[in-house]
Amino acid sequence: MNDNLNQESWLKQYYSLRAAFSIAWVIAALTVGKQSWLIGAVLLVAYPAWDAVANFIDAARNGGLAANRTQAINFGVSLATALAVGLSLQSMQAVLGVFGAWAILAGLLQLGTGVRRWKTNGAQWAMILSGGQSALAGGAFIFQALHTAEPPALATVVGYAGFGAFYFLISALLLAFSARRRQRA
């Protein structure tokens, strides 16, 4: 029971950190990212790079990459995506296509991680829903990249990051409420 409480405490901190990063990213994208191509480019590379780091840290905290296959794969996919985004910056359609492929893969892997954690941790329904929605958004990104005449802007990705922040925040809050309920009992 104590290990489960420690894990839920970790997940609450982890989900809060992920939400805070995503909120800060959205704010930066909507402000300075719109004003400077270079800052916008850095933000586009930083988002999947942060996802790689976050998956690595969470997996390391929970037995390592070998014990957490979905996160190990997500770590590699997100690192490769950050590199691919950096190499694609000359075309926002290409960047959006790369983001789309990444959103599909990362979403399915997040969904898998949520399903794996379902039995031992609370608040995983939000992570499962987020993973599924990420995969759907990825398909929309690819469609838009292939069928839009005007180059998509950085703001196209903002909604995706915003929904990510929302789901991470919901999960953190649900875990906090669950801990409070246990303390009162």
Side-chain angles (χ1 to χ4, degrees):
M1 179 75 168
N2 199 24
D3 285 342
N4 195 27
L5 292 177
N6 287 338
Q7 174 65 4
E8 283 192 7
S9 177
W10 158 251
L11 286 176
K12 181 178 67 173
Q13 293 172 0
Y14 173 68
Y15 293 155
S16 296
L17 178 63
R18 299 265 335 231
F21 177 88
S22 294
I23 291 167
W25 189 93
V26 166
I27 291 168
L30 291 174
T31 57
V32 294
K34 287 172 69 173
Q35 305 302 319
S36 166
W37 180 89
L38 180 60
I39 292 173
V42 168
L43 288 168
L44 286 168
V45 172
Y47 198 78
W50 161 248
D51 192 66
V53 169
N55 273 285
F56 181 84
I57 291 169
D58 186 34
R61 176 80 163 69
N62 292 289
L65 293 173
N68 297 285
R69 296 257 187 239
T70 55
Q71 289 179 292
I73 296 167
N74 207 346
F75 168 70
V77 166
S78 294
L79 276 181
T81 299
L83 179 63
V85 167
L87 294 172
S88 301
L89 287 169
Q90 71 281 1
S91 165
M92 278 305 291
Q93 267 104 349
V95 168
L96 195 58
V98 169
F99 251 89
W102 171 65
I104 291 169
L105 292 172
L108 293 174
L109 292 164
Q110 181 182 348
L111 190 150
T113 300
V115 168
R116 179 174 45 86
R117 287 180 166 162
W118 184 274
K119 293 178 185 172
T120 57
N121 302 105
Q124 294 308 301
W125 65 266
M127 292 294 90
I128 291 168
L129 185 58
S130 176
Q133 187 169 350
S134 177
L136 292 173
F141 285 166
I142 291 171
F143 181 84
Q144 185 176 357
L146 294 173
H147 299 347
T148 302
E150 297 222 5
L154 173 63
T156 306
V157 181
V158 168
Y160 176 77
F163 271 108
F166 171 76
Y167 285 119
F168 280 117
L169 184 59
I170 291 296
S171 292
L173 290 172
L174 288 171
L175 288 169
F177 292 141
S178 175
R180 273 197 175 137
R181 223 179 8 245
R182 276 193 304 277
Q183 287 174 347
R184 289 181 187 161

